[in-house]
Amino acid sequence: MLLRLFVMAVLCQPANAQLYKSYQKHHLWSATLEIGGINPVLALNAEYSPFQVAGLFTTLRAGIGHTFTDYSINTFPHSVSVNILLNRKQTKCPIPIGEPNQWFLEVGAGGLVFNRPKDKQDYRYTPMLGVRWYQTAKYTLTRYFWKSQFTPLILGRLVPWGGIGMGVIL
């Protein structure tokens, strides 16, 4: 009886905790490649997730981008967001099968610094609303994710703009 309790506590509880929150990784860093979004064209970003609890985590993001125009050579996008789990399902031990697709609502705000712009507006800001999709496989933790964002403000005007990206957990 005592041996059975020990086996259940050692084997099932950590597996259940990891599978329930498979987006929470041992490493808090990820890298994303985005087209559109806060950066007008293309950006490579580093993301840090300092606060993670069941069903919720925050993301701090900073990166470097390019507009592929002569307006500004490089851009420096950054943002702060809160990600809320949309499909909450918990698997029971001893069957360690993770939720195959985890969807998150991403709400936040970000900005963009231009490197030597042709006009005087070297900083732009926007709120953002998006979706993250962490794909998991059975018996493994998440290694990559997709994201889509709607960033409606450009130069202080309401413009239908958005972006997509792919991230890799480091």
Side-chain angles (χ1 to χ4, degrees):
M1 176 71 173
L2 188 58
L3 181 61
R4 179 182 280 174
L5 288 175
F6 175 77
V7 169
M8 292 294 283
V10 170
L11 297 178
C12 295
Q13 204 56 23
N16 191 23
Q18 285 182 346
L19 290 170
Y20 176 57
K21 298 187 276 184
S22 61
Y23 62 90
Q24 288 186 330
K25 55 262 177 221
H26 298 296
H27 306 290
L28 303 174
W29 292 92
S30 61
T32 61
L33 178 64
E34 293 181 320
I35 299 171
I38 292 176
N39 194 68
V41 181
L42 185 67
L44 180 62
N45 304 300
E47 292 185 349
Y48 177 65
S49 300
F51 179 72
Q52 299 180 1
V53 294
L56 176 82
F57 67 97
T58 59
T59 301
L60 305 173
R61 181 183 78 161
I64 186 166
H66 205 292
T67 59
F68 297 101
T69 66
D70 59 350
Y71 178 77
S72 177
I73 298 172
N74 292 325
T75 58
F76 302 100
H78 54 280
S79 67
V80 176
S81 64
V82 175
N83 300 276
I84 303 161
L85 184 63
L86 294 176
N87 57 339
R88 179 181 294 267
K89 290 184 181 178
Q90 182 175 3
T91 57
K92 300 290 182 186
C93 200
I95 303 169
I97 299 172
E99 178 65 29
N101 299 312
Q102 293 183 340
W103 292 88
F104 290 86
L105 174 67
E106 183 174 24
V107 179
L112 182 66
V113 177
F114 286 92
N115 181 20
R116 292 188 247 150
K118 293 197 177 226
D119 61 10
K120 298 295 181 192
Q121 293 188 350
D122 58 349
Y123 185 78
R124 296 178 183 161
Y125 64 91
T126 184
M128 63 182 188
L129 180 64
V131 176
R132 285 179 177 243
W133 176 52
Y134 285 77
Q135 185 166 359
T136 57
K138 293 180 182 180
Y139 308 108
T140 62
L141 292 176
T142 302
R143 285 290 169 224
Y144 65 93
F145 60 94
W146 297 90
K147 60 192 269 183
S148 175
Q149 292 178 340
F150 177 61
T151 53
L153 289 179
I154 297 177
L155 293 172
R157 289 179 275 161
L158 190 59
V159 177
W161 185 256
I164 58 170
M166 181 185 174
V168 177
I169 296 173
L170 304 175

